[in-house]
Amino acid sequence: EPEVTQTPSHQVTQMGQEVILRCVPISNHLYFYWYRQILGQKVEFLVSFYNNEISEKSEIFDDQFSVERPDGSNFTLKIRSTKLEDSAMYFCASSPYLTESTYNEQFFGPGTRLTVL
Amino acid sequence: GNSVTQMEGPVTLSEEAFLTINCTYTATGYPSLFWYVQYPGEGLQLLLKATKADDKGSNKGFEATYRKETTSFHLEKGSVQVSDSAVYFCALSDSGNQFYFGTGTSLTVIP
């Protein structure tokens, strides 16, 4: 069964460094998302991406964050200058073309745990 | 705004015990409601969903009923197994583009 994959599973970085988290969505999906979960807190929406542009973003997704679909398979989240508070689990998700039957279905990857020291 | 409040964990049960994980929500409009499960080392998997009031979602022996009057979507299973040990997330979506999750409830089932 197709699945969303994410790499790396765990990333450790120093404060101020740039990190890129990678995701490979399910191959025929059109909508892509990033979420994060700070330890002990809720899973929070960051951004959604469709047709090579951001379609929606949350207040968390400030200028330090960017997303890109550099080729036909990868979907990346870049944090330009990491802060301690960026330490969290980051989940990527994807959705197929949204029809009446697939409406609201998002398929999630296993997550990347980011630790900022 | 939209939000989900989920029962705090962790929850530890003996095999064959009855499970309830409470979930309540606040939403504008008419959201769809979901339960996701995360097994160790894996992604969030859709467990069940309900798209309108009074709908019951069910899968793998788990059930949840969309109760608009109490704004709840409690997850239940009559007899848990060790293999049900995982983290369970309640979520809502009102547009298809963004999900709102609870904090997750860790369930451990002991033989």
Side-chain angles (χ1 to χ4, degrees):
Chain A
E1 189 174 331
E3 58 184 20
V4 176
T5 60
Q6 290 185 243
T7 55
S9 56
H10 191 191
Q11 172 94 45
V12 180
T13 189
Q14 296 289 325
M15 191 169 57
Q17 295 296 305
E18 174 184 285
V19 294
I20 297 176
L21 309 183
R22 292 185 165 78
C23 169
V24 179
I26 295 172
S27 63
N28 62 346
H29 283 191
L30 302 177
Y31 296 81
F32 313 111
Y33 312 85
W34 283 101
Y35 293 80
R36 78 171 186 192
Q37 185 182 30
I38 295 171
L39 190 63
Q41 298 184 25
K42 297 185 177 187
V43 176
E44 301 169 293
F45 170 78
L46 293 178
V47 65
S48 59
F49 191 85
Y50 171 70
N51 200 27
N52 281 320
E53 61 183 29
I54 291 172
S55 52
E56 197 169 340
K57 62 181 181 179
S58 71
E59 292 175 354
I60 303 166
F61 195 86
D62 61 21
D63 292 344
Q64 291 297 315
F65 291 90
S66 62
V67 288
E68 194 178 29
R69 188 148 162 84
D71 52 41
S73 58
N74 289 284
F75 178 52
T76 62
L77 174 69
K78 182 193 289 187
I79 308 175
R80 200 159 290 122
S81 176
T82 50
K83 307 183 190 71
L84 296 176
E85 55 265 36
D86 293 327
S87 295
M89 180 73 88
Y90 288 80
F91 294 103
C92 173
S94 67
S95 292
Y97 181 72
L98 295 181
T99 66
E100 191 175 330
S101 62
T102 63
Y103 185 71
N104 278 337
E105 287 190 28
Q106 293 189 14
F107 296 80
F108 286 81
T112 292
R113 182 168 298 284
L114 176 64
T115 302
V116 181
L117 303 176
Chain B
N2 296 322
S3 68
V4 172
T5 301
Q6 193 175 333
M7 174 178 166
E8 296 283 333
V11 174
T12 302
L13 294 174
S14 297
E15 208 165 18
E16 298 183 6
F18 184 84
L19 169 71
T20 300
I21 301 177
N22 290 337
C23 172
T24 57
Y25 68 90
T26 303
T28 53
Y30 304 96
S32 294
L33 301 174
F34 305 81
W35 278 99
Y36 277 81
V37 59
Q38 185 177 33
Y39 299 103
E42 299 184 19
L44 295 170
Q45 299 175 23
L46 179 63
L47 181 60
L48 53 85
K49 70 177 183 181
T51 56
K52 60 183 188 297
D54 300 325
D55 269 3
K56 178 187 280 188
S58 61
N59 185 25
K60 299 182 182 179
F62 291 89
E63 292 183 341
T65 301
Y66 188 160
R67 302 275 188 213
K68 190 160 179 266
E69 64 276 12
T70 55
T71 61
S72 65
F73 193 55
H74 305 321
L75 182 69
E76 296 182 335
K77 186 174 185 182
S79 176
V80 294
Q81 306 300 312
V82 171
S83 56
D84 294 326
S85 298
V87 182
Y88 293 82
F89 294 87
C90 184
L92 73 81
S93 174
D94 62 357
S95 67
N97 203 31
Q98 181 177 155
F99 274 54
Y100 298 83
F101 284 88
T103 51
T105 301
S106 175
L107 170 67
T108 301
V109 180
I110 54 178

